[in-house]
Amino acid sequence: ENPPRLAISRKQVSADELVLQKRGLVEQAINAKQLPQAEVLLEDILILQPEHEQSRKQLAALWFGRQAYQAAINVLSQGLSLAPDNGEFRLMQAKIYLSQGLKEKAYQVLQVLATTEDKEYLAGLANAAQQTGRYQQASELYQKLTRSQPGLSRWWLGLGVAHDSNSQFELAIAAYRYALAQGNLSMSSTQFARQRLQQLGGDL
């Protein structure tokens, strides 16, 4: 009789399947707070699929979280070389630059997509413009945001600060009043707006 033989067949795994497997392992590693392992897995995924945006954002966020700022900037820059119009990558880069006090770099990164209609992106650009002394541009961006979402207090507050910084005090008073009237500011922002109104001689 012929003895039984164990046949082993090799199954080729596609790049997509491998990425899917590694994505599952990434989530497990993050849930278990094994962040170094998650970073290695995310790097593997980006080697297999450089265009995988979610993995790139996660890797940049993990590196930013442990203050590996240059590594985070680099991985986002690589993503932008593949997708220059990716606003999320640009917002993340700007956040990292601002955390390091590199305000001009943050502004330059965001200014590239200044014509976007994305509200969070425009708010980030307005903030960067404000921080680099471009008060007129900040005012124009916040005005655009208040026109698109007039009931959102934080746009009016941003507009008030931009006018205030540009010594347009009457316009600042009006914007602060609008911000307070909407009633959805945080406690600290409400306190700030009230304080500035009093200092500028505006009625609450």
Side-chain angles (χ1 to χ4, degrees):
E1 294 182 8
N2 293 328
R5 288 182 298 175
L6 179 64
I8 300 176
S9 62
R10 293 184 179 180
K11 179 176 182 285
Q12 288 188 333
V13 180
S14 70
D16 287 346
E17 289 173 323
L18 196 52
V19 165
L20 195 60
Q21 290 175 10
K22 288 182 179 289
R23 285 296 314 166
L25 294 172
V26 166
E27 297 308 317
Q28 290 177 25
I30 290 176
N31 290 336
K33 302 193 184 303
Q34 297 172 338
L35 301 187
Q37 179 64 20
E39 290 176 12
V40 171
L41 289 163
L42 289 167
E43 288 182 90
D44 289 346
I45 290 171
L46 292 179
I47 291 171
L48 291 165
Q49 287 186 353
E51 70 281 6
H52 202 289
E53 294 183 3
Q54 184 183 1
S55 295
R56 194 171 293 278
K57 288 188 294 184
Q58 276 187 306
L59 184 57
L62 288 174
W63 280 342
F64 175 61
R66 64 177 176 86
Q67 300 182 346
Y69 299 130
Q70 193 55 53
I73 289 289
N74 290 345
V75 78
L76 290 168
S77 294
Q78 291 161 8
L80 286 170
S81 70
L82 297 170
D85 293 339
N86 190 303
E88 289 184 273
F89 288 169
R90 292 188 178 278
L91 279 171
M92 290 181 77
Q93 267 199 341
K95 180 179 178 181
I96 296 167
Y97 281 134
L98 288 174
S99 74
Q100 296 178 283
L102 302 172
K103 300 175 184 179
E104 186 62 31
K105 282 193 173 184
Y107 174 80
Q108 294 299 337
V109 163
L110 294 176
Q111 177 62 17
V112 175
L113 300 181
T115 57
T116 184
E117 294 300 316
D118 184 271
K119 296 175 181 60
E120 291 304 321
Y121 191 96
L122 290 176
L125 177 57
N127 177 53
Q130 170 88 6
Q131 293 204 39
T132 54
R134 294 173 170 88
Y135 304 126
Q136 186 58 38
Q137 184 185 13
S139 297
E140 291 168 2
L141 288 165
Y142 279 120
Q143 284 172 345
K144 185 175 182 178
L145 288 165
T146 58
R147 286 194 295 271
S148 64
Q149 290 181 310
L152 203 56
S153 293
R154 64 188 179 113
W155 303 151
W156 290 104
L157 181 65
L159 181 59
V161 172
H163 284 322
D164 207 342
S165 301
N166 208 24
S167 300
Q168 296 176 303
F169 300 123
E170 290 302 316
L171 291 175
I173 288 171
Y176 287 139
R177 283 176 178 159
Y178 272 111
L180 290 168
Q182 305 313 311
N184 49 29
L185 284 176
S186 67
M187 188 178 297
S188 60
S189 294
T190 298
Q191 186 176 359
F192 171 82
R194 288 179 179 278
Q195 185 178 38
R196 283 307 292 154
L197 267 178
Q198 290 175 343
Q199 291 168 345
L200 294 172
D203 297 327
L204 295 175

